[in-house]
Amino acid sequence: MDRRQELTQQDLAHLWHPFTQMGLWPGEPPLIIERAEGNWLIDVEGKRYLDGVSSLWVTVHGHNHPAISAAIAAQLKDLDHSTLLGLSHPLAIRLAGELAAITPAGLSKVFYSESGSTAVEIALKMAFQYWRQAGRPEKQTFVTLEGAYHGDTLGAVSVGGIDLFHQVYGPLLFPVHRLPQPHCRLCRLGLTHPACDLACAQALEPILQRHGQEICALIVEPRVQGAAGIIVQPPGYVRRLWEIARAHDVLFIADEVATGFGRTGQMFACQLEGIEPDLMCLGKGLTGGVLPLAATLASQRIHDAFLGRFDEFKTFFHGHTYTGNPIACAAACASLELMRQNDLVVSLVPRIEQLRQGLARLARMPHVIEVRQQGLMAGIELTADKAGALAYEPGLRMGHQVIMACRPLGVIIRPLGDTVVLMPPLASSEQEIAHLLRAVETAIAQVTEGRQP
Ligand SMILES: *Cc1c(COP(=O)(O)O)cnc(C)c1O
């Protein structure tokens, strides 16, 4: 038995993979990644693949970047771990200051955790407890968007709106108000942008007029609903929501776990919209895609509602064991330093334009009904019949077929249903983006038109 077979056997014996139908897993021998170089993943047999999913939307500067690796190694000589419960350490302090400096004005306090989901849980609990302690304890409900994705823990699932992921847990979830999904092609209100004047955002107004007294916060993935299939909102949409929420004394939570750190072409999507959220969730790209670290940023006003004597019990009673791990903080500081050195946001401009041009070509393919892009995140939605806008039978798993056809072409990506998602590392070169586009075009043609490779 060779090494790949041996590892495969052990994988099948003991590993339960996330978001994976394990019944089908043995049918497709797993791709086992052993090494990485720059933006490329290398499997146990030495085959190279462009990391077109940025290892689930996290990779910024490429894998194993020497500056981040060196920062981690240096930190390991000083301090591997020490708790933030009752103690502090220099890297957590430094990173908190840097995050407060680069995020929208007003966000001045940083609360660490380890995943996007926990960053969201923390924001929800902070918003809820804020109103209890600000004298409005009746403000307890959240407003969210149809198709939203905020993570997989129960609070995050409650404010999520992806039926495929969330339906089964219904009895465990708390009720929320939902706004229509801002997806212009499939407008739930039957309107056309821009004549609609953002009616889907305006839909927040009557909800808050009627229920504002009981609503504590609105949570939004600003500019792009990622897991919904890279649904890009029209410009001004998020700002409209923010203005309405503010006018009704409802907190605004920006979930920038996916959109943060340059992914949208701006450092944060909130900056594209010129808004100042009360709470912001960060994760994914925070450490450059190297270690699990997340952060929830809060305004001074929210933070100060938690101040009091001990026996007033206004403390934020929340904290994970590894919160603010020093090694993860060191990786994040090194990543932010690289972003400054490389002028990340400016460096992205030509790559975003290159992706736009490539996507325009893909949009003309007979089985592509829509391409959606914001910065270096893109979705290519497949259709059985373009004129009739017919979806494929879900059982055909067309998106999955396309991403599997990309593998022999040297590209790893992941679909969301029948939307092929492109999420290249932010440090991708011109050649790498071209390689990605070429492989995806070939794979879509092969799978949808039966064209031979
Ligand atoms: C990925 C994601 C999350 C959840 O992050 P995890 O680290 O997987 O828990 C939350 N919100 C958004 C917008 C995301 O894309």
Side-chain angles (χ1 to χ4, degrees):
M1 206 172 0
D2 69 16
R3 189 165 139 64
R4 192 181 64 78
Q5 287 168 330
E6 199 177 316
L7 284 166
T8 300
Q9 206 173 64
Q10 288 162 7
D11 178 290
L12 292 174
H14 299 298
L15 250 180
W16 188 343
H17 291 267
F19 276 103
T20 300
Q21 176 41 260
M22 293 307 292
L24 295 176
W25 186 245
E28 284 172 351
L31 187 52
I32 302 175
I33 302 300
E34 191 161 46
R35 291 187 305 120
E37 272 172 26
N39 299 316
W40 296 76
L41 299 169
I42 303 165
D43 74 5
V44 280
E45 292 172 325
K47 290 196 209 111
R48 296 167 62 87
Y49 307 84
L50 183 68
D51 186 357
V53 61
S54 285
S55 292
L56 226 66
W57 310 9
V58 300
T59 316
V60 177
H61 314 283
H63 291 273
N64 307 345
H65 192 287
I68 298 180
S69 300
I72 290 172
Q75 184 57 33
L76 272 170
K77 292 205 183 88
D78 289 341
L79 177 67
D80 50 1
H81 181 66
S82 163
T83 182
L84 288 186
L85 279 64
L87 300 174
S88 197
H89 65 77
L91 268 290
I93 295 167
R94 178 176 149 201
L95 179 60
E98 292 193 13
L99 290 176
I102 62 172
T103 48
L107 296 170
S108 58
K109 298 290 175 178
V110 177
F111 195 99
Y112 294 113
S113 60
E114 289 74 52
S115 73
S117 305
T118 52
V120 167
E121 296 288 337
I122 288 160
L124 299 176
K125 285 175 72 176
M126 279 180 176
F128 178 89
Q129 193 173 344
Y130 166 79
W131 286 117
R132 292 181 79 82
Q133 293 169 186
R136 309 271 306 269
E138 67 286 354
K139 282 168 90 66
Q140 298 189 354
T141 350
F142 294 87
V143 182
T144 178
L145 269 57
E146 284 174 354
Y149 178 76
H150 297 292
D152 297 330
T153 52
L154 287 173
V157 171
S158 293
V159 292
I162 300 188
D163 289 348
L164 178 67
F165 298 173
H166 297 155
Q167 226 161 21
V168 59
Y169 308 107
L172 300 177
L173 309 179
F174 55 76
V176 296
H177 296 277
R178 286 182 208 281
L179 294 173
Q181 184 168 43
H183 185 181
C184 292
R185 187 183 104 240
L186 303 173
C187 181
R188 295 263 285 102
L189 308 173
L191 300 172
T192 311
H193 182 72
C196 63
D197 189 28
L198 301 172
C200 56
Q202 207 55 44
L204 179 62
E205 180 74 42
I207 294 178
L208 297 193
Q209 265 169 19
R210 202 164 332 139
H211 307 284
Q213 301 302 318
E214 303 111 57
I215 291 176
C216 80
L218 164 70
I219 180 165
V220 183
E221 295 161 87
R223 202 47 97 86
V224 185
Q225 285 188 300
I230 318 296
I231 308 298
V232 181
Q233 303 147 9
Y237 170 82
V238 176
R239 190 173 172 91
R240 183 76 65 87
L241 291 181
W242 178 67
E243 284 168 352
I244 297 171
R246 260 205 324 182
H248 288 271
D249 247 350
V250 164
L251 299 177
F252 190 101
I253 305 173
D255 178 355
E256 292 235 27
V257 171
T259 51
F261 301 103
R263 185 48 75 181
T264 63
Q266 208 12 290
M267 197 60 169
F268 298 101
C270 285
Q271 292 161 339
L272 290 168
E273 294 280 316
I275 64 162
E276 295 170 10
D278 302 286
L279 291 153
M280 182 188 256
C281 309
L282 299 175
K284 293 199 166 101
L286 171 53
T287 60
V290 180
L291 285 167
L293 181 68
T296 306
L297 277 81
S299 66
Q300 194 73 37
R301 163 185 161 213
I302 291 186
H303 171 267
D304 289 354
F306 290 74
L307 303 178
R309 293 190 321 274
F310 179 78
D311 58 5
E312 288 178 275
F313 304 116
K314 288 182 174 179
T315 305
F316 185 50
F317 292 106
H318 190 112
H320 301 284
T321 309
Y322 280 101
T323 281
N325 170 266
I327 305 168
C329 289
C333 286
S335 174
L336 292 180
E337 179 63 35
L338 281 173
M339 288 180 187
R340 278 190 294 273
Q341 277 171 18
N342 303 339
D343 211 343
L344 178 82
V345 168
V346 173
S347 76
L348 291 174
V349 173
R351 294 293 78 76
I352 292 170
E353 175 58 20
Q354 183 190 359
L355 184 61
R356 194 188 64 75
Q357 290 177 13
L359 288 170
R361 200 173 63 237
L362 290 171
R364 293 194 287 272
M365 297 181 79
H367 290 278
V368 171
I369 190 159
E370 186 175 54
V371 297
R372 301 180 284 269
Q373 178 195 9
Q374 176 70 53
L376 279 191
M377 56 202 310
I380 303 157
E381 189 172 334
L382 306 175
T383 179
D385 172 37
K386 203 160 177 167
L390 273 185
Y392 283 108
E393 285 296 318
L396 289 172
R397 302 181 75 206
M398 293 299 279
H400 180 74
Q401 286 195 50
V402 169
I403 70 109
M404 291 308 278
C406 282
R407 296 241 177 122
L409 303 170
V411 164
I412 291 177
I413 48 176
R414 259 184 79 84
L416 287 160
D418 283 346
T419 295
V420 177
V421 175
L422 307 188
M423 195 75 66
L426 299 188
S428 297
S429 68
E430 186 177 350
Q431 291 75 14
E432 287 165 340
I433 298 285
H435 174 78
L436 174 65
L437 286 163
R438 212 163 33 235
V440 169
E441 184 170 355
T442 307
I444 291 177
Q446 270 175 36
V447 170
T448 62
E449 302 163 36
R451 261 196 243 163
Q452 291 313 304

mmCIF file of all heavy atoms in Angstrom, residues 27-59:
data_model
loop_
_atom_site.group_PDB
_atom_site.id
_atom_site.type_symbol
_atom_site.label_atom_id
_atom_site.label_comp_id
_atom_site.label_asym_id
_atom_site.label_seq_id
_atom_site.Cartn_x
_atom_site.Cartn_y
_atom_site.Cartn_z
ATOM 1 N N GLY A 27 -16.471 7.215 -2.001
ATOM 2 C CA GLY A 27 -16.560 7.118 -3.461
ATOM 3 C C GLY A 27 -15.598 8.022 -4.186
ATOM 4 O O GLY A 27 -15.304 7.828 -5.361
ATOM 5 N N GLU A 28 -15.131 9.069 -3.484
ATOM 6 C CA GLU A 28 -14.202 10.013 -4.110
ATOM 7 C C GLU A 28 -12.946 10.053 -3.255
ATOM 8 O O GLU A 28 -12.898 10.776 -2.272
ATOM 9 C CB GLU A 28 -14.813 11.420 -4.150
ATOM 10 C CG GLU A 28 -15.864 11.588 -5.201
ATOM 11 C CD GLU A 28 -16.588 12.924 -5.094
ATOM 12 O OE1 GLU A 28 -16.381 13.645 -4.096
ATOM 13 O OE2 GLU A 28 -17.342 13.244 -6.013
ATOM 14 N N PRO A 29 -11.941 9.277 -3.617
ATOM 15 C CA PRO A 29 -10.737 9.209 -2.769
ATOM 16 C C PRO A 29 -10.268 10.614 -2.393
ATOM 17 O O PRO A 29 -10.144 11.460 -3.274
ATOM 18 C CB PRO A 29 -9.709 8.516 -3.661
ATOM 19 C CG PRO A 29 -10.498 7.842 -4.733
ATOM 20 C CD PRO A 29 -11.790 8.570 -4.880
ATOM 21 N N PRO A 30 -10.085 10.875 -1.117
ATOM 22 C CA PRO A 30 -9.807 12.251 -0.685
ATOM 23 C C PRO A 30 -8.477 12.762 -1.223
ATOM 24 O O PRO A 30 -7.521 12.005 -1.359
ATOM 25 C CB PRO A 30 -9.761 12.140 0.838
ATOM 26 C CG PRO A 30 -9.482 10.710 1.128
ATOM 27 C CD PRO A 30 -10.088 9.934 0.007
ATOM 28 N N LEU A 31 -8.503 14.039 -1.531
ATOM 29 C CA LEU A 31 -7.276 14.721 -1.912
ATOM 30 C C LEU A 31 -6.591 15.078 -0.596
ATOM 31 O O LEU A 31 -7.178 15.761 0.243
ATOM 32 C CB LEU A 31 -7.659 15.969 -2.701
ATOM 33 C CG LEU A 31 -6.580 16.791 -3.356
ATOM 34 C CD1 LEU A 31 -5.692 15.916 -4.220
ATOM 35 C CD2 LEU A 31 -7.241 17.864 -4.225
ATOM 36 N N ILE A 32 -5.380 14.591 -0.401
ATOM 37 C CA ILE A 32 -4.703 14.814 0.877
ATOM 38 C C ILE A 32 -3.562 15.799 0.659
ATOM 39 O O ILE A 32 -2.598 15.511 -0.052
ATOM 40 C CB ILE A 32 -4.204 13.482 1.468
ATOM 41 C CG1 ILE A 32 -5.411 12.530 1.636
ATOM 42 C CG2 ILE A 32 -3.503 13.712 2.812
ATOM 43 C CD1 ILE A 32 -5.050 11.137 2.090
ATOM 44 N N ILE A 33 -3.717 16.964 1.257
ATOM 45 C CA ILE A 33 -2.753 18.055 1.058
ATOM 46 C C ILE A 33 -1.664 17.948 2.113
ATOM 47 O O ILE A 33 -1.937 17.899 3.311
ATOM 48 C CB ILE A 33 -3.462 19.422 1.179
ATOM 49 C CG1 ILE A 33 -4.608 19.529 0.159
ATOM 50 C CG2 ILE A 33 -2.459 20.565 1.011
ATOM 51 C CD1 ILE A 33 -4.190 19.410 -1.283
ATOM 52 N N GLU A 34 -0.440 17.958 1.649
ATOM 53 C CA GLU A 34 0.670 17.777 2.570
ATOM 54 C C GLU A 34 1.516 19.030 2.742
ATOM 55 O O GLU A 34 2.109 19.255 3.799
ATOM 56 C CB GLU A 34 1.559 16.640 2.054
ATOM 57 C CG GLU A 34 2.597 16.182 3.054
ATOM 58 C CD GLU A 34 3.120 14.812 2.723
ATOM 59 O OE1 GLU A 34 3.435 14.590 1.532
ATOM 60 O OE2 GLU A 34 3.204 13.967 3.631
ATOM 61 N N ARG A 35 1.587 19.844 1.704
ATOM 62 C CA ARG A 35 2.441 21.026 1.756
ATOM 63 C C ARG A 35 1.771 22.157 0.993
ATOM 64 O O ARG A 35 0.818 21.937 0.254
ATOM 65 C CB ARG A 35 3.794 20.722 1.092
ATOM 66 C CG ARG A 35 4.647 19.746 1.879
ATOM 67 C CD ARG A 35 6.043 19.595 1.273
ATOM 68 N NE ARG A 35 6.010 19.215 -0.119
ATOM 69 C CZ ARG A 35 6.532 19.929 -1.115
ATOM 70 N NH1 ARG A 35 7.117 21.067 -0.859
ATOM 71 N NH2 ARG A 35 6.471 19.502 -2.359
ATOM 72 N N ALA A 36 2.330 23.348 1.183
ATOM 73 C CA ALA A 36 1.872 24.485 0.389
ATOM 74 C C ALA A 36 3.071 25.350 0.047
ATOM 75 O O ALA A 36 4.057 25.393 0.794
ATOM 76 C CB ALA A 36 0.848 25.288 1.173
ATOM 77 N N GLU A 37 2.970 26.005 -1.095
ATOM 78 C CA GLU A 37 3.991 26.982 -1.508
ATOM 79 C C GLU A 37 3.263 28.165 -2.092
ATOM 80 O O GLU A 37 2.579 28.028 -3.112
ATOM 81 C CB GLU A 37 4.891 26.381 -2.599
ATOM 82 C CG GLU A 37 6.085 25.609 -2.082
ATOM 83 C CD GLU A 37 6.813 24.895 -3.224
ATOM 84 O OE1 GLU A 37 6.722 25.353 -4.385
ATOM 85 O OE2 GLU A 37 7.446 23.867 -2.932
ATOM 86 N N GLY A 38 3.398 29.320 -1.473
ATOM 87 C CA GLY A 38 2.709 30.497 -1.998
ATOM 88 C C GLY A 38 1.215 30.238 -2.072
ATOM 89 O O GLY A 38 0.577 29.863 -1.093
ATOM 90 N N ASN A 39 0.645 30.390 -3.256
ATOM 91 C CA ASN A 39 -0.797 30.211 -3.410
ATOM 92 C C ASN A 39 -1.158 28.807 -3.881
ATOM 93 O O ASN A 39 -2.278 28.573 -4.329
ATOM 94 C CB ASN A 39 -1.335 31.261 -4.386
ATOM 95 C CG ASN A 39 -1.081 32.666 -3.857
ATOM 96 O OD1 ASN A 39 -1.301 32.927 -2.678
ATOM 97 N ND2 ASN A 39 -0.576 33.543 -4.690
ATOM 98 N N TRP A 40 -0.213 27.886 -3.762
ATOM 99 C CA TRP A 40 -0.414 26.531 -4.283
ATOM 100 C C TRP A 40 -0.414 25.507 -3.156
ATOM 101 O O TRP A 40 0.378 25.594 -2.214
ATOM 102 C CB TRP A 40 0.692 26.190 -5.297
ATOM 103 C CG TRP A 40 0.613 27.097 -6.500
ATOM 104 C CD1 TRP A 40 1.013 28.406 -6.556
ATOM 105 C CD2 TRP A 40 0.044 26.792 -7.776
ATOM 106 N NE1 TRP A 40 0.722 28.929 -7.800
ATOM 107 C CE2 TRP A 40 0.135 27.948 -8.572
ATOM 108 C CE3 TRP A 40 -0.536 25.639 -8.325
ATOM 109 C CZ2 TRP A 40 -0.333 28.000 -9.884
ATOM 110 C CZ3 TRP A 40 -0.997 25.692 -9.641
ATOM 111 C CH2 TRP A 40 -0.895 26.862 -10.404
ATOM 112 N N LEU A 41 -1.318 24.521 -3.295
ATOM 113 C CA LEU A 41 -1.381 23.393 -2.374
ATOM 114 C C LEU A 41 -0.782 22.183 -3.078
ATOM 115 O O LEU A 41 -0.977 21.999 -4.285
ATOM 116 C CB LEU A 41 -2.832 23.103 -1.979
ATOM 117 C CG LEU A 41 -3.561 24.248 -1.268
ATOM 118 C CD1 LEU A 41 -5.054 23.958 -1.159
ATOM 119 C CD2 LEU A 41 -2.958 24.497 0.117
ATOM 120 N N ILE A 42 -0.083 21.350 -2.316
ATOM 121 C CA ILE A 42 0.615 20.210 -2.913
ATOM 122 C C ILE A 42 0.164 18.946 -2.188
ATOM 123 O O ILE A 42 0.203 18.883 -0.952
ATOM 124 C CB ILE A 42 2.138 20.406 -2.797
ATOM 125 C CG1 ILE A 42 2.521 21.736 -3.466
ATOM 126 C CG2 ILE A 42 2.887 19.230 -3.425
ATOM 127 C CD1 ILE A 42 3.906 22.236 -3.138
ATOM 128 N N ASP A 43 -0.300 17.950 -2.953
ATOM 129 C CA ASP A 43 -0.846 16.752 -2.305
ATOM 130 C C ASP A 43 0.256 15.727 -2.030
ATOM 131 O O ASP A 43 1.432 15.947 -2.361
ATOM 132 C CB ASP A 43 -2.024 16.168 -3.104
ATOM 133 C CG ASP A 43 -1.586 15.458 -4.379
ATOM 134 O OD1 ASP A 43 -0.370 15.316 -4.623
ATOM 135 O OD2 ASP A 43 -2.482 15.037 -5.137
ATOM 136 N N VAL A 44 -0.153 14.619 -1.397
ATOM 137 C CA VAL A 44 0.839 13.628 -0.968
ATOM 138 C C VAL A 44 1.608 13.009 -2.137
ATOM 139 O O VAL A 44 2.661 12.415 -1.937
ATOM 140 C CB VAL A 44 0.215 12.475 -0.134
ATOM 141 C CG1 VAL A 44 0.002 12.922 1.295
ATOM 142 C CG2 VAL A 44 -1.067 11.971 -0.754
ATOM 143 N N GLU A 45 1.049 13.158 -3.340
ATOM 144 C CA GLU A 45 1.768 12.618 -4.501
ATOM 145 C C GLU A 45 2.572 13.691 -5.224
ATOM 146 O O GLU A 45 3.132 13.442 -6.296
ATOM 147 C CB GLU A 45 0.773 11.972 -5.468
ATOM 148 C CG GLU A 45 0.156 10.715 -4.877
ATOM 149 C CD GLU A 45 -0.965 10.150 -5.722
ATOM 150 O OE1 GLU A 45 -1.722 10.939 -6.332
ATOM 151 O OE2 GLU A 45 -1.075 8.919 -5.763
ATOM 152 N N GLY A 46 2.601 14.894 -4.637
ATOM 153 C CA GLY A 46 3.403 15.960 -5.230
ATOM 154 C C GLY A 46 2.678 16.761 -6.297
ATOM 155 O O GLY A 46 3.267 17.638 -6.932
ATOM 156 N N LYS A 47 1.383 16.502 -6.503
ATOM 157 C CA LYS A 47 0.616 17.286 -7.497
ATOM 158 C C LYS A 47 0.290 18.658 -6.920
ATOM 159 O O LYS A 47 -0.045 18.788 -5.747
ATOM 160 C CB LYS A 47 -0.687 16.562 -7.866
ATOM 161 C CG LYS A 47 -0.474 15.315 -8.683
ATOM 162 C CD LYS A 47 -1.796 14.891 -9.343
ATOM 163 C CE LYS A 47 -1.838 13.393 -9.550
ATOM 164 N NZ LYS A 47 -2.810 12.684 -8.699
ATOM 165 N N ARG A 48 0.336 19.664 -7.808
ATOM 166 C CA ARG A 48 0.159 21.059 -7.374
ATOM 167 C C ARG A 48 -1.196 21.600 -7.822
ATOM 168 O O ARG A 48 -1.619 21.382 -8.958
ATOM 169 C CB ARG A 48 1.270 21.924 -7.964
ATOM 170 C CG ARG A 48 2.656 21.552 -7.465
ATOM 171 C CD ARG A 48 3.734 22.215 -8.308
ATOM 172 N NE ARG A 48 3.650 23.664 -8.214
ATOM 173 C CZ ARG A 48 4.257 24.374 -7.261
ATOM 174 N NH1 ARG A 48 5.018 23.773 -6.371
ATOM 175 N NH2 ARG A 48 4.117 25.683 -7.214
ATOM 176 N N TYR A 49 -1.835 22.330 -6.922
ATOM 177 C CA TYR A 49 -3.141 22.916 -7.219
ATOM 178 C C TYR A 49 -3.149 24.362 -6.735
ATOM 179 O O TYR A 49 -2.745 24.637 -5.602
ATOM 180 C CB TYR A 49 -4.257 22.183 -6.468
ATOM 181 C CG TYR A 49 -4.276 20.693 -6.657
ATOM 182 C CD1 TYR A 49 -3.472 19.858 -5.874
ATOM 183 C CD2 TYR A 49 -5.099 20.113 -7.616
ATOM 184 C CE1 TYR A 49 -3.490 18.491 -6.043
ATOM 185 C CE2 TYR A 49 -5.128 18.738 -7.791
ATOM 186 C CZ TYR A 49 -4.323 17.931 -7.002
ATOM 187 O OH TYR A 49 -4.337 16.568 -7.169
ATOM 188 N N LEU A 50 -3.669 25.259 -7.572
ATOM 189 C CA LEU A 50 -3.872 26.625 -7.112
ATOM 190 C C LEU A 50 -4.980 26.619 -6.046
ATOM 191 O O LEU A 50 -6.027 25.998 -6.234
ATOM 192 C CB LEU A 50 -4.290 27.522 -8.286
ATOM 193 C CG LEU A 50 -4.452 28.992 -7.937
ATOM 194 C CD1 LEU A 50 -3.099 29.630 -7.608
ATOM 195 C CD2 LEU A 50 -5.136 29.749 -9.071
ATOM 196 N N ASP A 51 -4.745 27.303 -4.945
ATOM 197 C CA ASP A 51 -5.714 27.340 -3.847
ATOM 198 C C ASP A 51 -6.789 28.388 -4.169
ATOM 199 O O ASP A 51 -6.795 29.490 -3.621
ATOM 200 C CB ASP A 51 -4.983 27.669 -2.536
ATOM 201 C CG ASP A 51 -5.907 27.582 -1.332
ATOM 202 O OD1 ASP A 51 -7.115 27.317 -1.513
ATOM 203 O OD2 ASP A 51 -5.409 27.781 -0.200
ATOM 204 N N GLY A 52 -7.717 28.007 -5.057
ATOM 205 C CA GLY A 52 -8.733 28.953 -5.538
ATOM 206 C C GLY A 52 -9.834 29.239 -4.542
ATOM 207 O O GLY A 52 -10.710 30.065 -4.802
ATOM 208 N N VAL A 53 -9.796 28.567 -3.380
ATOM 209 C CA VAL A 53 -10.802 28.826 -2.335
ATOM 210 C C VAL A 53 -10.138 29.497 -1.124
ATOM 211 O O VAL A 53 -10.763 29.744 -0.106
ATOM 212 C CB VAL A 53 -11.523 27.507 -1.955
ATOM 213 C CG1 VAL A 53 -10.541 26.483 -1.395
ATOM 214 C CG2 VAL A 53 -12.661 27.705 -0.983
ATOM 215 N N SER A 54 -8.841 29.839 -1.306
ATOM 216 C CA SER A 54 -8.095 30.457 -0.206
ATOM 217 C C SER A 54 -8.284 29.671 1.096
ATOM 218 O O SER A 54 -8.492 30.253 2.161
ATOM 219 C CB SER A 54 -8.527 31.919 0.002
ATOM 220 O OG SER A 54 -8.002 32.731 -1.010
ATOM 221 N N SER A 55 -8.221 28.317 0.955
ATOM 222 C CA SER A 55 -8.395 27.451 2.120
ATOM 223 C C SER A 55 -9.591 27.884 2.972
ATOM 224 O O SER A 55 -9.477 28.122 4.181
ATOM 225 C CB SER A 55 -7.104 27.377 2.932
ATOM 226 O OG SER A 55 -6.123 26.690 2.169
ATOM 227 N N LEU A 56 -10.717 27.962 2.287
ATOM 228 C CA LEU A 56 -11.981 28.436 2.849
ATOM 229 C C LEU A 56 -11.934 29.921 3.252
ATOM 230 O O LEU A 56 -12.296 30.311 4.356
ATOM 231 C CB LEU A 56 -12.467 27.550 4.003
ATOM 232 C CG LEU A 56 -13.955 27.247 3.820
ATOM 233 C CD1 LEU A 56 -14.220 26.404 2.586
ATOM 234 C CD2 LEU A 56 -14.569 26.603 5.011
ATOM 235 N N TRP A 57 -11.503 30.732 2.267
ATOM 236 C CA TRP A 57 -11.671 32.175 2.298
ATOM 237 C C TRP A 57 -10.744 32.888 3.297
ATOM 238 O O TRP A 57 -11.073 33.971 3.788
ATOM 239 C CB TRP A 57 -13.131 32.578 2.617
ATOM 240 C CG TRP A 57 -14.190 31.893 1.795
ATOM 241 C CD1 TRP A 57 -14.035 30.842 0.924
ATOM 242 C CD2 TRP A 57 -15.589 32.222 1.738
ATOM 243 N NE1 TRP A 57 -15.224 30.502 0.354
ATOM 244 C CE2 TRP A 57 -16.197 31.318 0.846
ATOM 245 C CE3 TRP A 57 -16.374 33.187 2.375
ATOM 246 C CZ2 TRP A 57 -17.570 31.363 0.567
ATOM 247 C CZ3 TRP A 57 -17.729 33.211 2.099
ATOM 248 C CH2 TRP A 57 -18.317 32.313 1.201
ATOM 249 N N VAL A 58 -9.625 32.269 3.613
ATOM 250 C CA VAL A 58 -8.773 32.877 4.641
ATOM 251 C C VAL A 58 -7.414 33.382 4.139
ATOM 252 O O VAL A 58 -6.863 34.319 4.716
ATOM 253 C CB VAL A 58 -8.537 31.894 5.824
ATOM 254 C CG1 VAL A 58 -9.854 31.522 6.474
ATOM 255 C CG2 VAL A 58 -7.781 30.648 5.408
ATOM 256 N N THR A 59 -6.862 32.757 3.094
ATOM 257 C CA THR A 59 -5.475 33.037 2.717
ATOM 258 C C THR A 59 -5.316 34.440 2.135
ATOM 259 O O THR A 59 -6.029 34.812 1.207
ATOM 260 C CB THR A 59 -4.972 32.005 1.691
ATOM 261 O OG1 THR A 59 -5.387 30.713 2.118
ATOM 262 C CG2 THR A 59 -3.469 32.055 1.561
#
